[in-house]
CSV table of all heavy atoms in Angstrom, one decimal:
chain,number,residue,atom,x,y,z
A,50,PHE,N,-63.4,11.9,-39.4
A,50,PHE,CA,-63.7,13.3,-39.2
A,50,PHE,C,-63.6,14.1,-40.5
A,50,PHE,O,-64.4,14.9,-40.8
A,50,PHE,CB,-62.8,13.9,-38.1
A,50,PHE,CG,-62.7,15.4,-38.1
A,50,PHE,CD1,-63.7,16.2,-37.6
A,50,PHE,CD2,-61.6,16.1,-38.6
A,50,PHE,CE1,-63.6,17.6,-37.6
A,50,PHE,CE2,-61.5,17.4,-38.6
A,50,PHE,CZ,-62.5,18.2,-38.1
A,51,PHE,N,-62.5,13.8,-41.3
A,51,PHE,CA,-62.4,14.4,-42.6
A,51,PHE,C,-63.6,14.1,-43.5
A,51,PHE,O,-64.2,15.1,-44.1
A,51,PHE,CB,-61.1,13.9,-43.3
A,51,PHE,CG,-59.8,14.5,-42.9
A,51,PHE,CD1,-59.7,15.3,-41.8
A,51,PHE,CD2,-58.7,14.3,-43.7
A,51,PHE,CE1,-58.5,15.9,-41.5
A,51,PHE,CE2,-57.5,14.9,-43.4
A,51,PHE,CZ,-57.4,15.7,-42.3
A,52,VAL,N,-63.9,12.9,-43.6
A,52,VAL,CA,-65.0,12.5,-44.5
A,52,VAL,C,-66.3,13.1,-44.1
A,52,VAL,O,-67.1,13.7,-44.9
A,52,VAL,CB,-65.2,10.9,-44.5
A,52,VAL,CG1,-66.4,10.5,-45.3
A,52,VAL,CG2,-63.9,10.3,-45.1
A,53,LYS,N,-66.7,13.1,-42.8
A,53,LYS,CA,-67.9,13.7,-42.3
A,53,LYS,C,-67.9,15.2,-42.6
A,53,LYS,O,-68.9,15.8,-42.9
A,53,LYS,CB,-68.1,13.4,-40.8
A,53,LYS,CG,-68.4,11.9,-40.6
A,53,LYS,CD,-68.4,11.6,-39.1
A,53,LYS,CE,-68.6,10.2,-38.8
A,53,LYS,NZ,-68.5,9.8,-37.3
A,54,SER,N,-66.8,15.8,-42.4
A,54,SER,CA,-66.7,17.3,-42.5
A,54,SER,C,-66.9,17.7,-44.0
A,54,SER,O,-67.6,18.7,-44.3
A,54,SER,CB,-65.3,17.8,-42.0
A,54,SER,OG,-65.2,17.6,-40.6
A,55,LEU,N,-66.2,17.0,-44.9
A,55,LEU,CA,-66.4,17.3,-46.3
A,55,LEU,C,-67.8,17.0,-46.8
A,55,LEU,O,-68.3,17.7,-47.7
A,55,LEU,CB,-65.3,16.6,-47.1
A,55,LEU,CG,-63.9,17.3,-47.2
A,55,LEU,CD1,-63.0,16.4,-48.0
A,55,LEU,CD2,-64.1,18.7,-47.9
A,56,ARG,N,-68.3,15.9,-46.4
A,56,ARG,CA,-69.7,15.5,-46.8
A,56,ARG,C,-70.7,16.6,-46.4
A,56,ARG,O,-71.7,16.8,-47.2
A,56,ARG,CB,-70.1,14.2,-46.2
A,56,ARG,CG,-69.3,13.0,-46.7
A,56,ARG,CD,-69.5,12.7,-48.2
A,56,ARG,NE,-68.8,11.5,-48.7
A,56,ARG,CZ,-68.5,11.3,-50.0
A,56,ARG,NH1,-68.9,12.2,-50.9
A,56,ARG,NH2,-67.8,10.2,-50.3
A,57,ARG,N,-70.5,17.3,-45.4
A,57,ARG,CA,-71.4,18.4,-44.9
A,57,ARG,C,-71.4,19.5,-45.9
A,57,ARG,O,-72.4,20.2,-46.0
A,57,ARG,CB,-71.0,18.9,-43.6
A,57,ARG,CG,-71.3,17.9,-42.4
A,57,ARG,CD,-71.0,18.5,-41.1
A,57,ARG,NE,-71.3,17.6,-40.0
A,57,ARG,CZ,-71.3,17.9,-38.7
A,57,ARG,NH1,-71.0,19.2,-38.3
A,57,ARG,NH2,-71.5,17.0,-37.7
A,58,VAL,N,-70.3,19.8,-46.6
A,58,VAL,CA,-70.3,20.9,-47.5
A,58,VAL,C,-70.3,20.5,-49.0
A,58,VAL,O,-70.2,21.4,-49.9
A,58,VAL,CB,-69.0,21.8,-47.2
A,58,VAL,CG1,-69.0,22.2,-45.8
A,58,VAL,CG2,-67.7,21.0,-47.6
A,59,MET,N,-70.3,19.2,-49.3
A,59,MET,CA,-70.1,18.7,-50.6
A,59,MET,C,-71.1,19.4,-51.6
A,59,MET,O,-70.8,19.8,-52.7
A,59,MET,CB,-70.2,17.2,-50.7
A,59,MET,CG,-69.7,16.6,-52.0
A,59,MET,SD,-67.9,16.5,-52.0
A,59,MET,CE,-67.6,15.2,-50.8
A,60,ASP,N,-72.4,19.4,-51.2
A,60,ASP,CA,-73.4,19.9,-52.1
A,60,ASP,C,-73.2,21.5,-52.4
A,60,ASP,O,-73.8,22.0,-53.3
A,60,ASP,CB,-74.8,19.7,-51.5
A,60,ASP,CG,-75.2,18.3,-51.5
A,60,ASP,OD1,-74.5,17.5,-52.2
A,60,ASP,OD2,-76.1,17.9,-50.8
A,61,ARG,N,-72.4,22.1,-51.6
A,61,ARG,CA,-72.2,23.6,-51.8
A,61,ARG,C,-71.0,23.9,-52.6
A,61,ARG,O,-70.6,25.0,-52.8
A,61,ARG,CB,-72.1,24.3,-50.4
A,61,ARG,CG,-73.5,24.3,-49.7
A,61,ARG,CD,-73.4,25.2,-48.5
A,61,ARG,NE,-72.9,24.5,-47.3
A,61,ARG,CZ,-72.0,24.9,-46.5
A,61,ARG,NH1,-71.3,26.0,-46.8
A,61,ARG,NH2,-71.6,24.2,-45.4
A,62,ILE,N,-70.3,22.8,-53.1
A,62,ILE,CA,-69.1,23.0,-54.0
A,62,ILE,C,-69.7,23.1,-55.4
A,62,ILE,O,-70.2,22.2,-56.0
A,62,ILE,CB,-68.1,21.8,-53.9
A,62,ILE,CG1,-67.6,21.7,-52.5
A,62,ILE,CG2,-67.0,22.0,-54.9
A,62,ILE,CD1,-66.7,20.5,-52.3
A,63,SER,N,-69.7,24.4,-55.9
A,63,SER,CA,-70.3,24.7,-57.2
A,63,SER,C,-69.6,24.1,-58.4
A,63,SER,O,-70.2,23.9,-59.4
A,63,SER,CB,-70.6,26.2,-57.3
A,63,SER,OG,-69.3,26.9,-57.2
A,64,ASP,N,-68.2,24.0,-58.3
A,64,ASP,CA,-67.5,23.5,-59.4
A,64,ASP,C,-67.6,22.0,-59.4
A,64,ASP,O,-67.1,21.3,-58.5
A,64,ASP,CB,-66.0,23.9,-59.2
A,64,ASP,CG,-65.1,23.6,-60.4
A,64,ASP,OD1,-65.0,22.4,-60.6
A,64,ASP,OD2,-64.6,24.5,-61.0
A,65,PRO,N,-68.1,21.4,-60.5
A,65,PRO,CA,-68.3,19.9,-60.6
A,65,PRO,C,-67.0,19.2,-60.6
A,65,PRO,O,-66.9,18.0,-60.0
A,65,PRO,CB,-69.1,19.7,-61.9
A,65,PRO,CG,-68.8,20.9,-62.7
A,65,PRO,CD,-68.6,22.1,-61.7
A,66,THR,N,-65.9,19.7,-61.1
A,66,THR,CA,-64.6,19.1,-61.1
A,66,THR,C,-64.1,18.9,-59.7
A,66,THR,O,-63.6,17.9,-59.3
A,66,THR,CB,-63.6,19.8,-62.0
A,66,THR,OG1,-64.1,19.8,-63.4
A,66,THR,CG2,-62.2,19.1,-62.0
A,67,LEU,N,-64.2,20.0,-58.9
A,67,LEU,CA,-63.7,20.0,-57.6
A,67,LEU,C,-64.6,19.1,-56.7
A,67,LEU,O,-64.1,18.4,-55.8
A,67,LEU,CB,-63.7,21.5,-57.0
A,67,LEU,CG,-63.2,21.6,-55.6
A,67,LEU,CD1,-61.8,21.0,-55.3
A,67,LEU,CD2,-63.3,23.1,-55.1
A,68,ARG,N,-65.9,19.1,-57.0
A,68,ARG,CA,-66.8,18.3,-56.2
A,68,ARG,C,-66.5,16.8,-56.4
A,68,ARG,O,-66.5,16.0,-55.5
A,68,ARG,CB,-68.2,18.6,-56.6
A,68,ARG,CG,-69.3,17.9,-55.6
A,68,ARG,CD,-70.7,18.5,-55.8
A,68,ARG,NE,-71.1,18.3,-57.2
A,68,ARG,CZ,-71.3,19.4,-58.0
A,68,ARG,NH1,-71.1,20.6,-57.6
A,68,ARG,NH2,-71.8,19.1,-59.3
A,69,GLU,N,-66.2,16.4,-57.6
A,69,GLU,CA,-65.8,15.1,-57.9
A,69,GLU,C,-64.5,14.7,-57.2
A,69,GLU,O,-64.3,13.6,-56.7
A,69,GLU,CB,-65.6,14.9,-59.4
A,69,GLU,CG,-65.0,13.5,-59.9
A,69,GLU,CD,-65.9,12.3,-59.7
A,69,GLU,OE1,-67.1,12.5,-59.3
A,69,GLU,OE2,-65.5,11.2,-59.8
A,70,ALA,N,-63.5,15.6,-57.2
A,70,ALA,CA,-62.2,15.4,-56.6
A,70,ALA,C,-62.4,15.3,-55.1
A,70,ALA,O,-61.8,14.4,-54.4
A,70,ALA,CB,-61.3,16.6,-56.9
A,71,ALA,N,-63.3,16.1,-54.5
A,71,ALA,CA,-63.5,16.0,-53.0
A,71,ALA,C,-64.2,14.7,-52.7
A,71,ALA,O,-63.9,14.1,-51.7
A,71,ALA,CB,-64.4,17.2,-52.6
A,72,ASP,N,-65.1,14.2,-53.5
A,72,ASP,CA,-65.7,12.9,-53.3
A,72,ASP,C,-64.7,11.8,-53.3
A,72,ASP,O,-64.7,10.9,-52.5
A,72,ASP,CB,-66.8,12.7,-54.4
A,72,ASP,CG,-67.5,11.3,-54.2
A,72,ASP,OD1,-68.2,11.1,-53.2
A,72,ASP,OD2,-67.2,10.4,-55.1
A,73,ARG,N,-63.8,11.9,-54.3
A,73,ARG,CA,-62.8,10.8,-54.4
A,73,ARG,C,-61.7,10.9,-53.2
A,73,ARG,O,-61.2,9.9,-52.7
A,73,ARG,CB,-62.1,10.9,-55.7
A,73,ARG,CG,-62.9,10.4,-56.9
A,73,ARG,CD,-62.3,10.5,-58.3
A,73,ARG,NE,-63.1,9.8,-59.2
A,73,ARG,CZ,-63.0,8.6,-59.6
A,73,ARG,NH1,-62.0,7.8,-59.0
A,73,ARG,NH2,-63.8,8.0,-60.5
A,74,PHE,N,-61.5,12.1,-52.8
A,74,PHE,CA,-60.6,12.3,-51.6
A,74,PHE,C,-61.3,11.6,-50.4
A,74,PHE,O,-60.6,10.9,-49.7
A,74,PHE,CB,-60.5,13.9,-51.3
A,74,PHE,CG,-59.9,14.2,-50.0
A,74,PHE,CD1,-58.5,14.6,-50.0
A,74,PHE,CD2,-60.6,14.3,-48.9
A,74,PHE,CE1,-57.9,14.9,-48.8
A,74,PHE,CE2,-60.0,14.7,-47.7
A,74,PHE,CZ,-58.7,15.0,-47.6
A,75,CYS,N,-62.6,11.8,-50.2
A,75,CYS,CA,-63.3,11.2,-49.1
A,75,CYS,C,-63.2,9.6,-49.2
A,75,CYS,O,-63.0,8.9,-48.2
A,75,CYS,CB,-64.7,11.6,-49.1
A,75,CYS,SG,-65.0,13.3,-48.5
A,76,ARG,N,-63.3,9.1,-50.4
A,76,ARG,CA,-63.3,7.7,-50.6
A,76,ARG,C,-61.9,7.1,-50.4
A,76,ARG,O,-61.8,6.0,-49.8
A,76,ARG,CB,-63.8,7.3,-52.0
A,76,ARG,CG,-65.3,7.6,-52.2
A,76,ARG,CD,-65.7,7.4,-53.7
A,76,ARG,NE,-67.0,7.8,-53.9
A,76,ARG,CZ,-68.1,7.0,-53.7
A,76,ARG,NH1,-67.9,5.8,-53.3
A,76,ARG,NH2,-69.3,7.4,-54.0
A,77,GLN,N,-60.9,7.8,-50.8
A,77,GLN,CA,-59.5,7.4,-50.4
A,77,GLN,C,-59.3,7.4,-48.9
A,77,GLN,O,-58.8,6.4,-48.4
A,77,GLN,CB,-58.5,8.3,-51.1
A,77,GLN,CG,-58.1,8.0,-52.5
A,77,GLN,CD,-56.8,8.6,-53.0
A,77,GLN,OE1,-56.4,9.6,-52.4
A,77,GLN,NE2,-56.2,8.1,-54.0
A,78,GLU,N,-59.7,8.5,-48.3
A,78,GLU,CA,-59.5,8.6,-46.8
A,78,GLU,C,-60.3,7.5,-46.1
A,78,GLU,O,-59.8,7.0,-45.1
A,78,GLU,CB,-60.0,10.0,-46.3
A,78,GLU,CG,-59.2,11.1,-46.9
A,78,GLU,CD,-57.7,11.2,-46.3
A,78,GLU,OE1,-57.2,10.2,-45.9
A,78,GLU,OE2,-57.2,12.3,-46.2
A,79,ALA,N,-61.5,7.1,-46.6
A,79,ALA,CA,-62.2,6.1,-45.9
A,79,ALA,C,-61.5,4.7,-46.0
A,79,ALA,O,-61.5,3.9,-45.0
A,79,ALA,CB,-63.6,6.0,-46.6
A,80,GLN,N,-60.8,4.5,-47.1
A,80,GLN,CA,-60.0,3.3,-47.3
A,80,GLN,C,-58.9,3.3,-46.3
A,80,GLN,O,-58.5,2.3,-45.7
A,80,GLN,CB,-59.5,3.1,-48.7
A,80,GLN,CG,-60.6,2.7,-49.7
A,80,GLN,CD,-61.1,1.3,-49.4
A,80,GLN,OE1,-60.4,0.4,-49.1
A,80,GLN,NE2,-62.4,1.2,-49.5
A,81,HIS,N,-58.2,4.4,-46.1
A,81,HIS,CA,-57.1,4.5,-45.3
A,81,HIS,C,-57.4,4.1,-43.8
A,81,HIS,O,-56.7,3.3,-43.3
A,81,HIS,CB,-56.5,6.0,-45.2
A,81,HIS,CG,-56.0,6.4,-46.5
A,81,HIS,ND1,-55.6,7.8,-46.8
A,81,HIS,CD2,-55.8,5.8,-47.7
A,81,HIS,CE1,-55.2,7.9,-48.0
A,81,HIS,NE2,-55.3,6.7,-48.6
A,82,TYR,N,-58.4,4.7,-43.3
A,82,TYR,CA,-58.7,4.4,-41.8
A,82,TYR,C,-59.2,3.0,-41.7
A,82,TYR,O,-58.9,2.4,-40.6
A,82,TYR,CB,-59.6,5.5,-41.2
A,82,TYR,CG,-61.1,5.5,-41.5
A,82,TYR,CD1,-61.9,4.5,-41.0
A,82,TYR,CD2,-61.6,6.5,-42.3
A,82,TYR,CE1,-63.3,4.6,-41.2
A,82,TYR,CE2,-63.0,6.5,-42.6
A,82,TYR,CZ,-63.8,5.5,-42.0
A,82,TYR,OH,-65.1,5.6,-42.3
A,83,GLN,N,-59.9,2.4,-42.6
A,83,GLN,CA,-60.3,1.0,-42.5
A,83,GLN,C,-59.1,0.1,-42.5
A,83,GLN,O,-59.1,-0.9,-41.7
A,83,GLN,CB,-61.3,0.7,-43.6
A,83,GLN,CG,-62.6,1.4,-43.5
A,83,GLN,CD,-63.5,1.1,-44.7
A,83,GLN,OE1,-63.8,-0.1,-45.0
A,83,GLN,NE2,-63.9,2.1,-45.4
A,84,ARG,N,-58.1,0.4,-43.3
A,84,ARG,CA,-56.9,-0.5,-43.3
A,84,ARG,C,-56.1,-0.3,-42.1
A,84,ARG,O,-55.6,-1.3,-41.5
A,84,ARG,CB,-56.1,-0.2,-44.6
A,84,ARG,CG,-56.8,-0.4,-45.9
A,84,ARG,CD,-57.1,-1.9,-46.2
A,84,ARG,NE,-58.2,-2.5,-45.5
A,84,ARG,CZ,-59.5,-2.3,-45.8
A,84,ARG,NH1,-59.9,-1.5,-46.8
A,84,ARG,NH2,-60.4,-2.8,-45.1
A,85,HIS,N,-56.0,0.9,-41.6
A,85,HIS,CA,-55.2,1.2,-40.4
A,85,HIS,C,-55.8,0.5,-39.2
A,85,HIS,O,-55.1,0.1,-38.3
A,85,HIS,CB,-55.0,2.6,-40.2
A,85,HIS,CG,-53.9,3.2,-41.0
A,85,HIS,ND1,-52.5,3.0,-40.6
A,85,HIS,CD2,-53.8,4.0,-42.1
A,85,HIS,CE1,-51.8,3.6,-41.5
A,85,HIS,NE2,-52.5,4.2,-42.4
A,86,VAL,N,-57.1,0.5,-39.1
A,86,VAL,CA,-57.8,-0.2,-37.9
A,86,VAL,C,-57.3,-1.6,-37.8
A,86,VAL,O,-57.1,-2.0,-36.6
A,86,VAL,CB,-59.3,-0.1,-38.1
A,86,VAL,CG1,-60.0,-1.1,-37.1
A,86,VAL,CG2,-59.8,1.3,-37.8
A,87,ASP,N,-57.1,-2.3,-38.8
A,87,ASP,CA,-56.6,-3.7,-38.7
A,87,ASP,C,-55.3,-3.8,-38.1
A,87,ASP,O,-55.0,-4.7,-37.3
A,87,ASP,CB,-56.6,-4.4,-40.1
A,87,ASP,CG,-58.0,-4.4,-40.8
A,87,ASP,OD1,-59.0,-4.5,-40.0
A,87,ASP,OD2,-58.1,-4.5,-42.0
A,88,PHE,N,-54.4,-2.9,-38.5
A,88,PHE,CA,-53.0,-2.9,-37.9
A,88,PHE,C,-53.0,-2.3,-36.5
A,88,PHE,O,-52.2,-2.7,-35.7
A,88,PHE,CB,-52.1,-2.1,-38.9
A,88,PHE,CG,-51.7,-2.8,-40.1
A,88,PHE,CD1,-52.6,-3.0,-41.1
A,88,PHE,CD2,-50.4,-3.4,-40.2
A,88,PHE,CE1,-52.2,-3.7,-42.3
A,88,PHE,CE2,-50.1,-4.1,-41.4
A,88,PHE,CZ,-51.0,-4.2,-42.4
A,89,ASN,N,-53.9,-1.4,-36.2
A,89,ASN,CA,-54.0,-0.8,-34.9
A,89,ASN,C,-54.3,-1.8,-33.8
A,89,ASN,O,-53.9,-1.8,-32.7
A,89,ASN,CB,-54.9,0.4,-34.8
A,89,ASN,CG,-54.5,1.6,-35.6
A,89,ASN,OD1,-53.3,1.7,-35.9
A,89,ASN,ND2,-55.4,2.5,-35.8
A,90,LYS,N,-55.2,-2.8,-34.3
A,90,LYS,CA,-55.6,-3.9,-33.3
A,90,LYS,C,-54.3,-4.7,-32.9
A,90,LYS,O,-54.3,-5.1,-31.7
A,90,LYS,CB,-56.6,-4.8,-34.0
A,90,LYS,CG,-57.9,-4.2,-34.3
A,90,LYS,CD,-58.8,-5.2,-35.0
A,90,LYS,CE,-60.2,-4.5,-35.3
A,90,LYS,NZ,-61.0,-5.4,-36.2
A,91,VAL,N,-53.4,-4.9,-33.8
A,91,VAL,CA,-52.2,-5.6,-33.4
A,91,VAL,C,-51.3,-4.8,-32.4
A,91,VAL,O,-50.8,-5.3,-31.4
A,91,VAL,CB,-51.3,-5.9,-34.7
A,91,VAL,CG1,-50.0,-6.6,-34.3
A,91,VAL,CG2,-52.1,-6.7,-35.7
A,92,ILE,N,-51.2,-3.5,-32.7
A,92,ILE,CA,-50.5,-2.6,-31.8
A,92,ILE,C,-51.1,-2.5,-30.4
A,92,ILE,O,-50.5,-2.7,-29.4
A,92,ILE,CB,-50.4,-1.2,-32.4
A,92,ILE,CG1,-49.5,-1.2,-33.7
A,92,ILE,CG2,-49.8,-0.2,-31.4
A,92,ILE,CD1,-49.6,0.0,-34.5
A,93,LEU,N,-52.4,-2.3,-30.4
A,93,LEU,CA,-53.1,-2.2,-29.1
A,93,LEU,C,-53.1,-3.6,-28.3
A,93,LEU,O,-53.0,-3.6,-27.1
A,93,LEU,CB,-54.6,-1.8,-29.3
A,93,LEU,CG,-54.7,-0.3,-29.8
A,93,LEU,CD1,-56.2,-0.1,-30.2
A,93,LEU,CD2,-54.3,0.7,-28.7
A,94,ALA,N,-53.1,-4.7,-29.0
A,94,ALA,CA,-53.0,-6.0,-28.4
A,94,ALA,C,-51.7,-6.2,-27.7
A,94,ALA,O,-51.5,-7.2,-26.9
A,94,ALA,CB,-53.3,-7.1,-29.4
A,95,HIS,N,-50.7,-5.4,-28.1
A,95,HIS,CA,-49.4,-5.6,-27.5
A,95,HIS,C,-49.4,-5.1,-26.0
A,95,HIS,O,-48.4,-5.4,-25.3
A,95,HIS,CB,-48.3,-4.8,-28.3
A,95,HIS,CG,-46.9,-5.3,-28.1
A,95,HIS,ND1,-46.5,-6.6,-28.4
A,95,HIS,CD2,-45.8,-4.6,-27.8
A,95,HIS,CE1,-45.2,-6.8,-28.2
A,95,HIS,NE2,-44.7,-5.6,-27.8
A,96,GLY,N,-50.4,-4.4,-25.6
A,96,GLY,CA,-50.6,-4.1,-24.2
A,96,GLY,C,-49.8,-2.9,-23.7
A,96,GLY,O,-48.7,-2.9,-23.2
Side-chain angles (χ1 to χ4, degrees):
F50 163 74
F51 276 14
V52 173
K53 291 173 185 176
S54 297
L55 276 178
R56 292 294 182 201
R57 289 186 180 188
V58 303
M59 195 79 73
D60 290 345
R61 289 189 274 129
I62 300 176
S63 57
D64 185 297
T66 298
L67 180 57
R68 190 166 58 249
E69 171 72 8
D72 178 68
R73 288 177 171 270
F74 172 95
C75 289
R76 293 174 185 272
Q77 276 196 341
E78 297 288 28
Q80 286 296 317
H81 295 171
Y82 73 77
Q83 290 177 57
R84 301 289 76 77
H85 276 285
V86 164
D87 297 335
F88 284 75
N89 290 346
K90 290 176 182 176
V91 180
I92 294 168
L93 292 168
H95 204 55

